[in-house]
Amino acid sequence: MTTMTTMTGTTAHDALPPARISLRRTVRHSLTLAWRNIAQLRHSPEKLIDVTLMPLVFLVLFLYVFGGAVAGSTHAYLQQLLPGLVAQMAMFATMGLGTALSEDIRKGVFDRFRSLPIARSAPLIGTVVGDTVRFLTVVVVLSVAGTALGFRFGSDPLRVLAGFALAYVFYLAFSWISVMVGLIAPSPETVQGLAFMFVMPLTFGSSVFVANTSTMPGWLETWTKMNPVSHLTDALRALLVGGPVGNHVWITLAWAVGIVTVTFPIAMRMYARRA
Amino acid sequence: MSQVIRAEGLRKRFGETRALDGVDLAVEEGTVLGVLGPNGAGKTTAVRVLATLAKPDEGRAEICGYDVMRDATRVRALIGLTGQYASLDEELTGRENLVMIGRLLDLPRAEARARAAGLLERFRLSDAAGRAVKTYSGGMRRRLDIAASMINRPRVVFLDEPTTGLDPRARGEVWDTVREMALDGATVLLTTQYLEEADALADRIAVFDHGRVIEDGTPAELKARAGRQTLVVRAAEVFRTEQLAAIVAELTGERPEVRLDAGLVTAPVTDPGVLRAVVQRLDEAGLVAAEVALRLPSLDEVFLSLTGHAADAAGSAAEEQLEGSVR
């Protein structure tokens, strides 16, 4: 290693990082990369148009088309529908993630990241965390528009906050499905179609639109009862409006952990292979 | 002097294609190595292996004594990489791109901003610093991409075809940049398809063909082995072409090739000093030349004389495709 010492002496160079990257640095790098997503949105806020308009369209359409038939009145239905839409729209909001990742890989941006001394996972974690803005947009749009149409939150603001926090945790976990799809799909154009295959049955085959699932055929009811989106929806109804929470919160959290445990390693593997 | 880039017996296949078929490289500190070869010769794959982006099937490589596979993180801290395609975030501004990379390199915020500003200044991008990269011209993108690979003040810089697709002015700017890097003491490995470029920038040239280094030497050695240069003279007044041809024939002692319609006279030369003599004689004869130049042999001619076959790009499409999708 004598050569090394002479070489270090000849050029000014910052201290070499250790061979392994600490968790603290990975967290910091991930936050820097999350900032990248937010900076992108600052330059082109029109990217938030889907998470702004889609909740509005769904809210108005479903409320007035189904309200009277499902719950007797639109007002009564709104109290059921809005928590469900928070769950569904949060799932929808993750779908842009896969497309963005696929674009990044195609354009070579990830090659740059991979040539830097940062953890492999940092760009993926950063992208997921940076997308928090999309989740927040969904929550704000639905809360404001829902209130304007007559939705009344429950009286305990802490419970309401806990509800949104639960939705956020599940949103983060579900994001990894979108990341995985983005890495599996051969091109950015195919990501959307693949992501829909996960999102549609999960959000429509659930208690999002109807709190009472007993009129469904047996197989669908079974699926709906297992579906984590149903548990999230039921938990949100209890936390945002009122009523007993049951064990829906715990089941939702368990699903969140389960989803990340399965999808994160697959996503990392695909990423190492693709990028 | 020490070797800061070392590769021994690198092999890598993509399916049937042998992208690297036993590559050895050694680059002395502070020098510029030009890796010359046609599309599909394995240049990009070699860069990707040395820059820790791809794993070789066989062989080993070291940057400043660190193994590119076992010590990838340390190698990444020592290198700067500019790929064939600008790998920048198009939606961010030039400044934001550089600051982000500085932060990823653990620079404090103020230091990241200062280095970004310095590099933008140096690469004449200060005026465009606040604009989104997608509004940049090809040359500006490439300069920003190179600036991005300089933020960590790398000891070793990899430039993969840094001038491909650039107009002559932008190319000249990239050349200046490479020369500055070398003056700063960085070791540079650049790949190119142009002998002219390797000749202008490199201390040594390694010629790649079918995943192997088929020739290695200084530009002068290579040119000597690769065959003679060509004298090109074009008459401003086409009707005097034959008079011009006679002068060229006399000075080179060769039968020049003449194209009367274009006023173009070309002849192989061994002594570059002939250029001065030609200019002087034209002057005496009152002949005005629209163009007088000595041309280096093209990559095709180099290949023909080194390998006996033309620089064939067959199979290159396959490799490029693979490199684009798989690592």
Side-chain angles (χ1 to χ4, degrees):
Chain A
M1 281 286 108
T2 49
T3 51
M4 268 313 299
T5 46
T6 53
M7 288 191 302
T8 319
T10 49
T11 38
H13 196 275
D14 308 55
L16 273 183
R20 295 233 147 253
I21 296 159
S22 68
L23 186 64
R24 232 185 73 205
R25 285 178 60 224
T26 300
V27 169
R28 206 175 53 223
H29 297 153
S30 300
L31 288 178
T32 299
L33 289 159
W35 167 87
R36 161 180 178 250
N37 283 39
I38 292 160
Q40 281 180 349
L41 288 174
R42 217 171 47 217
H43 292 302
S44 21
E46 69 275 8
K47 282 185 160 182
L48 289 175
I49 204 148
D50 59 333
V51 285
T52 311
L53 288 184
M54 193 121 69
L56 285 178
V57 170
F58 270 62
L59 178 62
V60 171
L61 267 183
F62 280 94
L63 179 59
Y64 292 107
V65 171
F66 292 124
V70 175
S73 76
T74 48
H75 177 73
Y77 188 49
L78 183 57
Q79 295 298 99
Q80 287 183 37
L81 176 68
L82 194 108
L85 277 183
V86 169
Q88 186 188 37
M89 289 300 126
M91 307 300 97
F92 272 46
T94 64
M95 293 200 328
L97 205 55
T99 315
L101 274 177
S102 197
E103 287 279 358
D104 275 347
I105 290 172
R106 177 156 77 179
K107 284 185 184 155
V109 181
F110 273 50
D111 261 2
R112 161 81 64 207
F113 296 150
R114 271 160 41 90
S115 74
L116 295 172
I118 60 174
R120 281 282 156 99
S121 55
L124 296 185
I125 296 174
T127 311
V128 168
V129 173
D131 255 30
T132 299
V133 179
R134 292 168 62 79
F135 173 79
L136 289 176
T137 308
V138 164
V139 165
V140 168
V141 167
L142 282 176
S143 299
V144 171
T147 306
L149 292 174
F151 179 78
R152 291 295 164 257
F153 282 104
S155 54
D156 187 350
L158 278 183
R159 268 170 77 102
V160 172
L161 273 183
F164 287 138
L166 180 70
Y168 181 56
V169 169
F170 190 74
Y171 164 84
L172 283 182
F174 199 80
S175 292
W176 288 98
I177 294 184
S178 188
V179 167
M180 189 182 73
V181 169
L183 293 168
I184 290 171
S187 72
E189 291 76 18
T190 49
V191 174
Q192 197 83 345
L194 277 173
F196 256 110
M197 283 183 16
F198 282 93
V199 173
M200 293 310 252
L202 275 170
T203 59
F204 280 96
S206 73
S207 61
V208 163
F209 295 103
V210 276
N212 175 12
T213 55
S214 61
T215 59
M216 294 178 180
W219 58 269
L220 184 59
E221 198 186 359
T222 311
W223 159 256
T224 307
K225 288 233 157 82
M226 272 167 33
N227 187 345
V229 179
S230 297
H231 289 288
L232 173 61
T233 300
D234 294 344
L236 281 173
R237 282 195 181 116
L239 291 168
L240 299 190
V241 180
V245 179
N247 48 13
H248 294 303
V249 171
W250 302 115
I251 297 176
T252 305
L253 288 175
W255 268 105
V257 171
I259 289 172
V260 174
T261 313
V262 173
T263 53
F264 182 78
I266 298 178
M268 284 309 298
R269 240 211 159 92
M270 294 300 299
Y271 174 54
R273 188 116 44 97
R274 272 291 294 279
Chain B
M1 287 252 267
S2 51
Q3 294 171 342
V4 288
I5 305 178
R6 261 216 326 254
E8 280 165 23
L10 292 181
R11 281 174 212 278
K12 186 166 182 68
R13 322 173 57 118
F14 295 108
E16 288 298 292
T17 316
R18 284 189 203 159
L20 298 178
D21 194 12
V23 166
D24 300 325
L25 286 174
V27 186
E28 299 285 337
E29 183 172 17
T31 65
V32 179
L33 175 75
V35 169
L36 179 69
N39 267 335
K43 307 190 298 292
T44 296
T45 309
V47 167
R48 288 180 68 86
V49 166
L50 292 171
T52 76
L53 295 186
K55 285 194 175 84
D57 299 335
E58 274 176 55
R60 49 192 296 265
E62 283 177 7
I63 304 293
C64 301
Y66 292 109
D67 188 282
V68 295
M69 287 195 287
R70 279 200 314 271
D71 254 325
T73 302
R74 287 203 167 110
V75 169
R76 287 177 194 142
L78 290 164
I79 62 169
L81 169 69
T82 298
Q84 210 161 333
Y85 307 99
S87 49
L88 300 157
D89 189 322
E90 307 237 311
E91 291 179 44
L92 299 189
T93 66
R95 184 185 295 117
E96 284 169 341
N97 265 291
L98 297 188
V99 171
M100 174 179 74
I101 291 166
R103 295 288 289 151
L104 291 175
L105 289 159
D106 298 322
L107 299 177
R109 196 162 289 137
E111 174 71 12
R113 287 213 190 104
R115 284 204 200 173
L119 284 163
L120 288 164
E121 178 79 44
R122 179 169 157 198
F123 288 86
R124 293 172 305 282
L125 290 166
S126 296
D127 291 342
R131 269 170 35 206
V133 172
K134 61 184 166 204
T135 67
Y136 282 25
S137 71
M140 289 163 75
R141 269 170 213 239
R142 206 63 67 91
R143 295 205 310 270
L144 184 65
D145 206 357
I146 295 175
S149 62
M150 302 289 288
I151 292 176
N152 58 339
R153 298 186 178 142
R155 296 261 305 277
V156 178
V157 182
F158 296 102
L159 302 169
D160 192 13
E161 301 205 7
T163 64
T164 298
L166 294 189
D167 62 43
R169 204 190 117 183
R171 173 184 300 188
E173 288 173 350
V174 170
W175 283 16
D176 289 343
T177 307
V178 175
R179 290 192 181 106
E180 277 174 44
M181 284 183 202
L183 284 179
D184 283 356
T187 305
V188 180
L189 186 155
L190 89 130
T191 73
T192 177
Q193 297 192 41
Y194 310 108
L195 178 58
E196 185 200 1
E197 182 159 289
D199 183 38
L201 299 174
D203 299 299
R204 292 188 75 83
I205 297 177
V207 183
F208 270 50
D209 184 35
H210 290 115
R212 315 176 72 101
V213 180
I214 55 165
E215 195 71 55
D216 175 21
T218 64
E221 287 166 1
L222 201 77
K223 279 186 285 181
R225 265 173 262 167
R228 297 184 290 182
Q229 306 182 61
T230 308
L231 172 70
V232 182
V233 192
R234 200 149 55 86
E237 301 150 309
V238 177
F239 63 90
R240 296 182 73 178
T241 306
E242 289 190 37
Q243 189 187 348
L244 177 67
I247 293 174
V248 170
E250 182 191 329
L251 290 174
T252 59
E254 300 271 353
R255 244 175 80 102
E257 208 174 290
V258 183
R259 273 184 53 200
L260 284 176
D261 57 333
L264 198 68
V265 178
T266 55
V269 291
T270 36
D271 172 19
V274 80
L275 197 61
R276 261 190 66 212
V278 169
V279 173
Q280 200 178 346
R281 281 292 298 278
L282 291 181
D283 204 29
E284 285 164 16
L287 253 166
V288 182
E291 183 186 354
V292 184
L294 266 184
R295 294 230 171 109
L296 289 174
S298 69
L299 183 61
D300 276 329
E301 288 161 334
V302 172
F303 263 75
L304 202 57
S305 46
L306 289 180
T307 65
H309 71 82
D312 82 279
S316 65
E319 193 200 345
E320 265 178 294
Q321 206 185 352
L322 279 161
E323 286 179 2
S325 56
V326 195
R327 62 162 170 178

